Amino acid sequence: MDNLESIYTDVIMQHSTETYNKKKIDNPTAMEHGHNPSCGDDITLEIKMNNNVIEDLSFTGHGCAISQASTSIMIDLLKGKTKEEALELINIFIRMIKREKISEEELDKLEEARALQNISNMPARVKCAELAWYTMQKLIEK
Amino acid sequence: MTNYDIKKDFSILNNQDIVYLDSGATAQKPKQVIEAVNEYYELSNANPHRGAYKLSIKATEVYDEAREKVANFINAKLKDEIVFTRNATESLNLIAYSYGMDKLKKNDKVVLSIMEHHSNLVPWQYVTQKTNSVLEYMYINKDGEITTSEINEKIVPGVKIVGITQVSNVLGTINPIKEIAKRAHEVGAIVIVDASQSVPHFKVDVRELDADFLVFSGHKMLSPLGIGVLYGKMELLKNMRPFLYGGDMIEYVYEQNTTYAPVPTKFEAGTQNVGGAVGLSSAIDYLNNIGMSEVEEIEKELLEYAMKRLSELDFITIYGPKNLQNHSGVISFNVNGVHPHDVSSILDSQNVCIRSGNHCAQPLLRYMGLDSTCRVSFYIYNTKEDIDKLINALLKTKEVFAKWINI
Ligand SMILES: Cc1ncc(COP(=O)(O)O)c(C=O)c1O
Ligand SMILES: [Zn+2]
């Protein structure tokens, strides 16, 4: 039960039911599709880059609460960041989920995305949390 | 014997506080089966067919006895109509490659039901593409059933192979195999029955069904992993090419060519899983000891109770046949507004194990306009209390989500 409450937290539930990041954007500069075959999570990220800065970011698609929340939280975090900053945050997030070594200072940088830390205790759902972040990595490294 | 007595034989269900409702994926194993496999390795293990010493002969005998046991269990005419494989998937691939690839000609038709498991679907896509034959589907009505008119409309002259699952692993639908086989034979087609979800749960008689091929996996019927069965009518098996080539499946090997061993050895290349066959044989003893009609009865009671309790919940949608006569112990449903993966995670936190996803049947779910469902599936060790715990865990799911969505 502890387990449950530490996963389906208010932050996650709120983001999974909010839809303000779930839309198409006008004239995106690139798009990337991500898919999680085991669970069926399926998202498409749309980005608008302004030189080196992520000016706008959104997603469409469907999936479980964890994947939807993780995507929305990521969009909030990365909008307005430079490409390099975004890649660093993605790297920290993946390390957090994989329970690799990570400093308190790094965790702070993740802001709300820290709410997903406990997913690392639920191996069956790790892929749901990671999907958006790996898809984003591919998108900006294109 | 009641399900409560039976449950005592399943250590995994007694050593921990879990409700196991995923027997459609794989069944738990009773201690009798585990002991039989242990005993084989402690007393009789050797490479079958390959030694002239007593132990190897013993292993060969044990393997053959298991074959006989399986043949009797599904009422095959001949023991040698049973080929051991790794699982249903391998059995279906064997048929696709050794029968389909050779016999299908350009524009011939293969007809499957839309509710086939990927293992009886993907191989046929490959084989029909390679042979320039045509793949068609029998679709379901709104209750998840294949109607007589659909059968008669799709199984027509020109159809050479019909593939049909006896029980849908998603909807629990029991398909009219006898009717489909009769129709297939009238138009000159053979019928392949996927019995993965039926042989474990009720009496299946290959001769009564008039199945040309029938396949299943041991692990869904109390056996260890890694042993499966292909049944085929002898005259078909005799006229088929081998599937895997190598040791044991041969008679004489020359530098440039080989003569093959007779059926079924022709299809059993390499060192065989004797331990698995012993486990399967012991599982059949276990089921026969209960009696397959009793097995069916236990599951019917669970199904009726589960349907009654589930339909009392106004926040879930149940899929599949309404007529429980055509319904095996598999139920698919969704919690309205909640993704099945979240449902199964919350149920897991309450120690209730169910499956969520597309159940290796993507074309079926797409046809039904769904991405995924929750699935519970029963076996002889489940009890009404398991279903009560499922219902409580579903109420808990509602509670977790109620704050955020209209449920
Ligand atoms: C109807 C059906 N056919 C085939 C299979 C494949 O079984 P296996 O994975 O043991 O080969 C399954 C099990 O997942 C099934 O439910
Ligand atoms: Zn997911």
Side-chain angles (χ1 to χ4, degrees):
Chain A
M1 208 95 52
D2 278 358
N3 194 8
L4 189 60
E5 256 103 64
S6 73
I7 301 289
Y8 292 93
T9 58
D10 285 357
V11 175
I12 289 178
M13 293 303 278
Q14 205 157 8
H15 271 280
S16 77
T17 48
E18 291 276 3
T19 52
Y20 63 93
N21 286 322
K22 193 169 182 173
K23 59 181 184 211
K24 293 189 157 295
I25 56 184
D26 295 333
N27 308 315
T29 48
M31 287 163 72
E32 185 71 41
H33 177 237
H35 170 59
N36 175 5
S38 67
C39 178
D41 300 330
D42 195 305
I43 58 161
T44 301
L45 294 174
E46 298 189 6
I47 196 170
K48 191 186 232 169
M49 293 296 290
N50 184 351
N51 293 319
N52 203 32
V53 175
I54 301 168
E55 189 178 290
D56 205 358
L57 186 60
S58 75
F59 82 108
T60 53
H62 56 82
C64 64
I66 308 291
S67 72
Q68 301 283 294
S70 184
T71 311
S72 177
I73 290 171
M74 180 192 77
I75 289 174
D76 279 356
L77 181 67
L78 299 188
K79 233 193 275 184
K81 299 282 193 306
T82 66
K83 189 174 153 180
E84 291 71 28
E85 286 166 341
L87 285 171
E88 191 206 343
L89 290 166
I90 291 169
N91 178 283
I92 297 172
F93 181 86
I94 301 287
R95 275 163 41 224
M96 174 184 83
I97 294 285
K98 292 202 187 312
R99 292 209 228 175
E100 286 171 15
K101 213 165 151 254
I102 188 161
S103 69
E104 193 58 30
E105 192 188 331
E106 284 178 313
L107 274 178
D108 275 344
K109 289 188 183 171
L110 292 180
E111 299 173 20
E112 271 190 334
R114 279 187 76 156
L116 289 149
Q117 187 166 21
N118 286 324
I119 305 281
S120 61
N121 300 325
M122 272 179 113
R125 308 305 299 278
V126 161
K127 282 209 168 81
C128 308
E130 290 174 336
L131 177 66
W133 302 73
Y134 277 125
T135 309
M136 186 67 189
Q137 198 174 34
K138 269 207 270 173
L139 177 61
I140 46 185
E141 280 177 345
K142 264 217 251 226
Chain B
M1 221 180 299
T2 69
N3 39 349
Y4 296 91
D5 301 324
I6 292 168
K7 188 176 173 185
K8 294 194 187 111
D9 291 332
F10 292 77
S11 308
I12 198 168
L13 303 176
N14 299 311
N15 293 343
Q16 53 196 322
D17 176 28
I18 59 161
V19 172
Y20 187 74
L21 295 173
D22 197 19
S23 297
T26 197
Q28 298 302 348
K29 326 300 175 196
K31 60 176 191 285
Q32 289 84 341
V33 168
I34 297 168
E35 275 161 19
V37 175
N38 263 341
E39 194 181 295
Y40 166 74
Y41 284 112
E42 285 173 359
L43 298 178
S44 317
N45 180 56
N47 197 318
H49 303 304
R50 291 191 187 169
Y53 49 90
K54 289 194 282 301
L55 207 55
S56 172
I57 290 165
K58 176 81 183 151
T60 313
E61 275 171 18
V62 165
Y63 197 52
D64 235 37
E65 278 165 25
R67 197 188 304 283
E68 176 117 48
K69 189 83 53 82
V70 174
N72 289 334
F73 191 58
I74 58 172
N75 197 29
K77 193 153 111 201
L78 306 166
K79 155 172 91 60
D80 289 344
E81 289 175 323
I82 304 300
V83 176
F84 283 121
T85 61
R86 279 188 304 150
N87 48 38
T89 302
E90 186 175 294
S91 302
L92 290 163
N93 273 272
L94 192 160
I95 303 166
Y97 278 90
S98 295
Y99 186 88
M101 200 66 106
D102 274 357
K103 310 284 190 230
L104 287 170
K105 305 217 169 43
K106 194 169 180 224
N107 298 332
D108 280 349
K109 281 186 189 163
V110 174
V111 172
L112 307 175
S113 88
I114 193 68
M115 61 176 100
E116 293 315 298
H117 187 277
H118 293 161
S119 59
N120 198 21
L121 195 156
V122 182
W124 296 110
Q125 291 178 341
Y126 183 73
V127 169
T128 51
Q129 280 159 19
K130 282 282 170 193
T131 55
N132 287 313
S133 50
V134 181
L135 183 56
E136 288 187 351
Y137 291 92
M138 294 184 279
Y139 296 99
I140 52 174
N141 66 13
K142 64 174 190 348
D143 285 340
E145 294 157 342
I146 301 172
T147 61
T148 298
S149 66
E150 182 68 5
I151 292 167
N152 292 338
E153 219 164 279
K154 295 292 165 63
I155 305 178
V156 292
V159 174
K160 293 291 152 56
I161 294 175
V162 176
I164 178 77
T165 190
Q166 189 164 15
V167 170
S168 162
N169 68 315
V170 180
L171 302 173
T173 315
I174 302 175
N175 285 314
I177 300 299
K178 262 161 89 171
E179 181 186 352
I180 290 170
K182 185 163 173 282
R183 177 72 185 173
H185 294 147
E186 276 165 14
V187 304
I190 60 125
V191 63
I192 300 161
V193 179
D194 178 356
S196 302
Q197 299 288 352
S198 56
V199 165
H201 303 286
F202 53 83
K203 179 76 193 160
V204 171
D205 180 329
V206 291
R207 279 190 275 174
E208 192 202 334
L209 296 175
D210 203 8
D212 297 291
F213 294 104
L214 183 137
V215 308
F216 55 97
S217 287
H219 70 90
K220 294 187 202 285
M221 55 178 289
L222 312 176
S223 310
L225 297 161
I227 186 82
V229 171
L230 162 68
Y231 158 83
K233 286 182 180 164
M234 184 51 81
E235 63 278 20
L236 291 171
L237 292 173
K238 265 192 193 157
N239 289 311
M240 279 159 61
R241 269 198 301 173
F243 176 46
L244 298 174
Y245 297 80
D248 289 337
M249 49 79 67
I250 49 86
E251 219 168 37
Y252 296 103
V253 180
Y254 305 96
E255 284 188 23
Q256 300 298 333
N257 51 50
T258 291
T259 57
Y260 303 123
V263 175
T265 316
K266 177 168 91 171
F267 297 108
E268 294 177 352
T271 301
Q272 295 295 297
N273 181 2
V274 183
V278 167
L280 178 57
S281 172
S282 156
I284 290 174
D285 288 339
Y286 188 90
L287 289 168
N288 278 336
N289 190 38
I290 300 168
M292 286 313 284
S293 52
E294 185 62 29
V295 167
E296 198 179 342
E297 207 46 51
I298 290 171
E299 290 181 33
K300 186 132 267 161
E301 219 169 279
L302 289 168
L303 175 73
E304 280 167 9
Y305 184 65
M307 279 298 196
K308 176 175 158 285
R309 295 295 321 265
L310 284 169
S311 47
E312 286 162 11
L313 305 180
D314 60 2
F315 55 94
I316 74 165
T317 304
I318 302 173
Y319 308 103
K322 300 213 171 42
N323 174 2
L324 296 189
Q325 294 305 17
N326 293 342
H327 205 309
S328 185
V330 177
I331 306 172
S332 263
F333 63 91
N334 271 321
V335 174
N336 301 336
V338 183
H339 193 279
H341 246 219
D342 295 314
V343 177
S344 69
S345 282
I346 294 170
L347 265 49
D348 184 38
S349 76
Q350 317 291 301
N351 296 327
V352 176
C353 314
I354 68 154
R355 176 92 180 263
S356 64
N358 60 51
H359 317 296
C360 300
Q362 289 181 20
L364 171 64
L365 291 210
R366 199 172 295 116
Y367 182 75
M368 293 172 65
L370 299 168
D371 293 314
S372 56
T373 68
C374 301
R375 180 187 78 178
V376 298
S377 50
F378 309 118
Y379 211 7
I380 40 177
Y381 36 68
N382 288 122
T383 61
K384 283 190 173 172
E385 287 72 18
D386 289 347
I387 292 160
D388 292 338
K389 286 185 187 155
L390 166 72
I391 299 293
N392 288 338
L394 287 168
L395 290 167
K396 175 77 188 172
T397 309
K398 175 178 170 165
E399 188 189 312
V400 171
F401 276 82
K403 195 167 141 201
W404 303 99
I405 61 171
N406 270 327
I407 188 167

